[in-house]
Amino acid sequence: MSGGAHIVFRKSPAKNIFNAVSSELTVPTAALASYPNPNDASYNTVPEFFHVFFDGTYTIDVGVAYENNGYYRLFANVDSKWHSGPLAKATGTKTLKSWLSAEGNNRYIVTQFGSVVDKAPISPAMYNSLNRGCQIYREMVIASNTNATIPANAYYKNAKFSNTTFTKTNGTYLALDSKSEWVPNKLDPNISRTTFNTYCKGVNTPSGTTFVSDTSSASFNQKDPNFAV
Protein backbone atom coordinates (compact mmCIF):
# COMPACT_ATOMS: atom_id res chain seq x y z
CA MET A 1 0.00 0.00 0.00
CA SER A 2 1.14 3.53 -0.69
CA GLY A 3 -0.34 5.33 2.31
CA GLY A 4 -3.05 5.47 4.91
CA ALA A 5 -3.43 5.71 8.67
CA HIS A 6 -1.00 3.99 11.02
CA ILE A 7 -3.46 3.55 13.87
CA VAL A 8 -0.85 2.41 16.36
CA PHE A 9 2.64 1.03 16.19
CA ARG A 10 5.26 -0.09 18.68
CA LYS A 11 8.99 -0.01 18.12
CA SER A 12 11.56 -2.48 19.33
CA PRO A 13 14.60 -1.00 21.06
CA ALA A 14 16.46 1.18 18.54
CA LYS A 15 19.21 -1.33 17.99
CA ASN A 16 19.76 -3.41 14.87
CA ILE A 17 20.06 -6.69 16.78
CA PHE A 18 16.91 -8.63 15.77
CA ASN A 19 16.09 -10.95 12.86
CA ALA A 20 12.75 -12.60 13.79
CA VAL A 21 9.56 -11.80 15.71
CA SER A 22 6.46 -13.56 17.06
CA SER A 23 3.24 -11.85 18.20
CA GLU A 24 -0.25 -12.84 19.23
CA LEU A 25 -2.82 -11.14 16.98
CA THR A 26 -6.42 -11.03 18.10
CA VAL A 27 -8.20 -10.31 14.83
CA PRO A 28 -10.99 -7.68 14.74
CA THR A 29 -14.44 -8.55 16.01
CA ALA A 30 -15.71 -6.79 12.87
CA ALA A 31 -13.92 -5.51 9.79
CA LEU A 32 -14.48 -4.38 6.22
CA ALA A 33 -12.10 -3.73 3.34
CA SER A 34 -12.89 -1.54 0.33
CA TYR A 35 -12.27 -3.06 -3.12
CA PRO A 36 -14.15 -0.67 -5.46
CA ASN A 37 -12.27 -1.87 -8.54
CA PRO A 38 -11.46 -5.60 -8.24
CA ASN A 39 -9.24 -5.44 -11.33
CA ASP A 40 -7.05 -2.60 -10.04
CA ALA A 41 -5.53 -2.83 -6.56
CA SER A 42 -4.52 0.84 -6.67
CA TYR A 43 -8.09 1.68 -5.52
CA ASN A 44 -8.07 -0.53 -2.41
CA THR A 45 -8.37 0.56 1.23
CA VAL A 46 -7.60 -2.32 3.60
CA PRO A 47 -7.05 -3.06 7.32
CA GLU A 48 -3.58 -4.57 7.79
CA PHE A 49 -1.71 -6.02 10.78
CA PHE A 50 1.98 -6.66 10.34
CA HIS A 51 5.60 -6.56 11.48
CA VAL A 52 8.22 -4.24 9.96
CA PHE A 53 11.87 -5.22 9.49
CA PHE A 54 14.01 -2.10 9.08
CA ASP A 55 17.77 -1.57 9.18
CA GLY A 56 18.20 1.87 7.60
CA THR A 57 18.83 0.38 4.15
CA TYR A 58 16.03 -2.14 3.60
CA THR A 59 12.40 -2.32 4.75
CA ILE A 60 9.96 -5.23 4.75
CA ASP A 61 6.33 -5.07 5.93
CA VAL A 62 5.11 -8.61 6.53
CA GLY A 63 1.81 -9.80 7.98
CA VAL A 64 -1.87 -10.09 7.08
CA ALA A 65 -4.35 -7.90 5.18
CA TYR A 66 -8.11 -8.26 5.63
CA GLU A 67 -10.03 -9.42 2.54
CA ASN A 68 -13.61 -9.58 3.93
CA ASN A 69 -15.80 -12.50 5.05
CA GLY A 70 -13.36 -13.39 7.82
CA TYR A 71 -10.39 -14.05 5.51
CA TYR A 72 -6.90 -12.57 5.84
CA ARG A 73 -4.28 -12.62 3.10
CA LEU A 74 -0.68 -13.16 4.11
CA PHE A 75 1.55 -10.61 2.41
CA ALA A 76 4.99 -9.07 2.27
CA ASN A 77 5.82 -5.58 1.03
CA VAL A 78 9.49 -5.85 0.15
CA ASP A 79 10.96 -2.36 -0.35
CA SER A 80 7.58 -1.26 -1.80
CA LYS A 81 7.17 -4.35 -4.00
CA TRP A 82 3.99 -6.23 -3.05
CA HIS A 83 3.97 -10.00 -2.59
CA SER A 84 0.53 -11.60 -2.23
CA GLY A 85 0.39 -14.86 -0.27
CA PRO A 86 -2.36 -17.37 0.60
CA LEU A 87 -5.63 -16.70 2.41
CA ALA A 88 -6.32 -17.76 5.99
CA LYS A 89 -9.68 -17.86 7.74
CA ALA A 90 -9.32 -16.37 11.22
CA THR A 91 -11.29 -15.61 14.36
CA GLY A 92 -10.04 -14.99 17.87
CA THR A 93 -6.30 -15.01 18.57
CA LYS A 94 -3.62 -16.53 16.36
CA THR A 95 0.17 -16.37 16.38
CA LEU A 96 1.75 -14.18 13.70
CA LYS A 97 5.44 -15.00 13.16
CA SER A 98 7.97 -13.43 10.79
CA TRP A 99 11.55 -14.52 10.11
CA LEU A 100 14.29 -14.64 7.48
CA SER A 101 15.17 -17.93 5.79
CA ALA A 102 18.01 -19.22 3.59
CA GLU A 103 17.18 -22.29 1.49
CA GLY A 104 19.95 -23.29 -0.89
CA ASN A 105 20.58 -20.28 -3.12
CA ASN A 106 17.19 -18.75 -2.31
CA ARG A 107 16.39 -16.17 0.36
CA TYR A 108 12.96 -15.46 1.85
CA ILE A 109 10.99 -13.48 4.38
CA VAL A 110 8.63 -16.05 5.91
CA THR A 111 5.23 -15.41 7.50
CA GLN A 112 3.23 -17.86 9.59
CA PHE A 113 -0.32 -16.97 10.66
CA GLY A 114 -1.81 -19.79 12.67
CA SER A 115 -1.06 -22.85 10.56
CA VAL A 116 -0.77 -20.98 7.21
CA VAL A 117 2.76 -20.22 5.97
CA ASP A 118 3.98 -17.97 3.15
CA LYS A 119 7.48 -17.33 1.76
CA ALA A 120 8.24 -14.13 -0.14
CA PRO A 121 11.51 -14.05 -2.14
CA ILE A 122 14.06 -11.39 -1.22
CA SER A 123 17.52 -10.61 -2.58
CA PRO A 124 20.65 -12.06 -1.01
CA ALA A 125 21.83 -8.53 -0.26
CA MET A 126 18.60 -7.74 1.62
CA TYR A 127 18.75 -11.04 3.48
CA ASN A 128 22.37 -10.53 4.51
CA SER A 129 21.74 -6.97 5.66
CA LEU A 130 18.58 -7.67 7.69
CA ASN A 131 19.85 -10.96 9.06
CA ARG A 132 22.85 -9.17 10.56
CA GLY A 133 20.31 -7.34 12.71
CA CYS A 134 17.47 -4.87 12.27
CA GLN A 135 14.83 -3.01 14.22
CA ILE A 136 11.34 -4.52 14.21
CA TYR A 137 7.96 -2.78 14.68
CA ARG A 138 4.41 -4.07 14.97
CA GLU A 139 1.69 -2.02 13.28
CA MET A 140 -2.09 -1.76 12.97
CA VAL A 141 -3.01 0.15 9.81
CA ILE A 142 -5.80 1.05 7.45
CA ALA A 143 -3.80 1.25 4.25
CA SER A 144 -4.88 3.02 1.07
CA ASN A 145 -3.40 2.74 -2.39
CA THR A 146 -2.63 5.52 -4.84
CA ASN A 147 -6.11 5.84 -6.40
CA ALA A 148 -8.16 5.02 -3.29
CA THR A 149 -11.00 7.41 -2.46
CA ILE A 150 -11.03 8.62 1.14
CA PRO A 151 -13.31 8.38 3.05
CA ALA A 152 -13.73 4.74 2.02
CA ASN A 153 -15.96 1.91 3.17
CA ALA A 154 -13.28 0.35 5.37
CA TYR A 155 -12.95 -0.21 9.10
CA TYR A 156 -11.93 -2.67 11.80
CA LYS A 157 -13.01 -3.03 15.42
CA ASN A 158 -11.22 -4.36 18.51
CA ALA A 159 -7.99 -5.74 17.09
CA LYS A 160 -5.20 -6.50 19.54
CA PHE A 161 -1.47 -7.13 19.32
CA SER A 162 0.12 -8.77 22.36
CA ASN A 163 2.88 -11.09 23.60
CA THR A 164 5.49 -9.94 21.08
CA THR A 165 8.89 -11.58 21.36
CA PHE A 166 11.91 -10.54 19.28
CA THR A 167 14.68 -12.96 18.39
CA LYS A 168 18.17 -11.51 18.61
CA THR A 169 20.86 -12.44 16.13
CA ASN A 170 22.65 -14.33 18.93
CA GLY A 171 19.61 -16.58 19.38
CA THR A 172 18.31 -15.05 22.61
CA TYR A 173 14.93 -13.36 23.04
CA LEU A 174 13.52 -10.02 24.16
CA ALA A 175 9.90 -9.22 25.07
CA LEU A 176 8.24 -6.05 23.77
CA ASP A 177 7.43 -4.30 27.04
CA SER A 178 5.99 -1.01 28.27
CA LYS A 179 9.32 0.80 27.80
CA SER A 180 8.90 0.56 24.03
CA GLU A 181 7.98 3.61 21.98
CA TRP A 182 4.23 3.76 21.25
CA VAL A 183 3.04 5.95 18.35
CA PRO A 184 -0.73 6.34 17.70
CA ASN A 185 -2.48 7.96 14.75
CA LYS A 186 0.41 8.62 12.40
CA LEU A 187 -1.19 9.78 9.16
CA ASP A 188 0.38 9.65 5.72
CA PRO A 189 -0.03 12.70 3.44
CA ASN A 190 -2.99 11.21 1.57
CA ILE A 191 -5.10 11.11 4.76
CA SER A 192 -6.51 14.10 6.63
CA ARG A 193 -7.54 13.94 10.27
CA THR A 194 -11.13 14.76 9.32
CA THR A 195 -11.61 11.68 7.15
CA PHE A 196 -11.59 8.97 9.80
CA ASN A 197 -12.35 8.04 13.38
CA THR A 198 -9.80 6.09 15.36
CA TYR A 199 -9.63 4.68 18.85
CA CYS A 200 -6.36 3.37 20.25
CA LYS A 201 -5.43 2.04 23.63
CA GLY A 202 -1.89 1.01 24.47
CA VAL A 203 -1.98 -1.15 27.57
CA ASN A 204 1.27 -0.20 29.27
CA THR A 205 1.85 -3.12 31.59
CA PRO A 206 2.74 -2.29 35.19
CA SER A 207 6.12 -2.91 36.73
CA GLY A 208 6.89 -6.59 37.19
CA THR A 209 5.11 -7.84 34.07
CA THR A 210 6.74 -8.65 30.76
CA PHE A 211 4.65 -7.89 27.68
CA VAL A 212 2.80 -4.80 26.48
CA SER A 213 -0.35 -5.01 24.36
CA ASP A 214 -2.19 -2.59 22.07
CA THR A 215 -5.89 -2.57 21.21
CA SER A 216 -7.39 -0.37 18.51
CA SER A 217 -10.37 0.28 16.28
CA ALA A 218 -10.43 2.51 13.22
CA SER A 219 -12.85 3.58 10.53
CA PHE A 220 -12.89 5.66 7.39
CA ASN A 221 -16.69 5.56 7.15
CA GLN A 222 -18.33 5.36 10.59
CA LYS A 223 -19.28 8.03 13.13
CA ASP A 224 -20.42 5.73 15.91
CA PRO A 225 -19.43 6.37 19.56
CA ASN A 226 -19.87 2.65 20.22
CA PHE A 227 -17.02 1.98 17.80
CA ALA A 228 -14.37 2.86 20.39
CA VAL A 229 -12.30 0.12 22.01
Side-chain angles (χ1 to χ4, degrees), residues 4-9 47-49 139-143 151 154-159 182-188 191-202 214-229:
H6 306 255
I7 310 305
V8 60
F9 68 89
E48 297 178 355
F49 310 94
E139 292 204 41
M140 299 173 168
V141 168
I142 294 187
Y155 64 86
Y156 71 85
K157 185 172 183 178
N158 293 329
W182 179 67
V183 183
N185 301 332
K186 179 179 179 294
L187 305 184
D188 291 321
I191 302 298
S192 73
R193 194 161 293 279
T194 60
T195 60
F196 79 103
N197 278 353
T198 183
Y199 305 91
C200 308
K201 181 168 61 179
D214 294 305
T215 303
S216 71
S217 299
S219 176
F220 282 0
N221 71 344
Q222 294 192 9
K223 302 293 183 182
D224 182 355
N226 297 317
F227 201 72
V229 297

Side-chain angles (χ1 to χ4, degrees), residues 67-226:
E67 284 221 357
N68 295 329
N69 301 314
Y71 282 92
Y72 293 78
R73 185 170 298 280
L74 281 67
F75 76 89
N77 192 358
V78 181
D79 270 352
S80 300
K81 183 178 180 180
W82 184 264
H83 166 87
S84 184
L87 285 170
K89 184 82 169 180
T91 58
T93 301
K94 291 186 178 296
T95 301
L96 179 65
K97 296 181 179 180
S98 312
W99 68 95
L100 299 156
S101 177
E103 302 177 21
N105 293 325
N106 299 316
R107 301 292 182 267
Y108 301 98
I109 183 74
V110 185
T111 311
Q112 182 173 351
F113 182 52
S115 61
V116 180
V117 178
D118 181 49
K119 297 189 297 185
I122 62 175
S123 70
M126 177 180 288
Y127 172 88
N128 291 337
S129 183
L130 294 175
N131 199 45
R132 282 193 294 267
C134 57
Q135 191 171 17
I136 299 177
Y137 312 155
R138 69 181 187 199
E139 292 204 41
M140 299 173 168
V141 168
I142 294 187
S144 59
N145 259 331
T146 51
N147 292 319
T149 300
I150 304 296
N153 195 30
Y155 64 86
Y156 71 85
K157 185 172 183 178
N158 293 329
K160 181 180 180 180
F161 256 137
S162 60
N163 296 332
T164 294
T165 301
F166 303 112
T167 303
K168 297 181 182 180
T169 55
N170 65 6
T172 61
Y173 303 96
L174 181 70
L176 183 64
D177 63 20
S178 59
K179 297 186 293 291
S180 62
E181 183 178 355
W182 179 67
V183 183
N185 301 332
K186 179 179 179 294
L187 305 184
D188 291 321
N190 64 329
I191 302 298
S192 73
R193 194 161 293 279
T194 60
T195 60
F196 79 103
N197 278 353
T198 183
Y199 305 91
C200 308
K201 181 168 61 179
V203 183
N204 282 295
T205 47
S207 177
T209 59
T210 302
F211 295 100
V212 64
S213 62
D214 294 305
T215 303
S216 71
S217 299
S219 176
F220 282 0
N221 71 344
Q222 294 192 9
K223 302 293 183 182
D224 182 355
N226 297 317

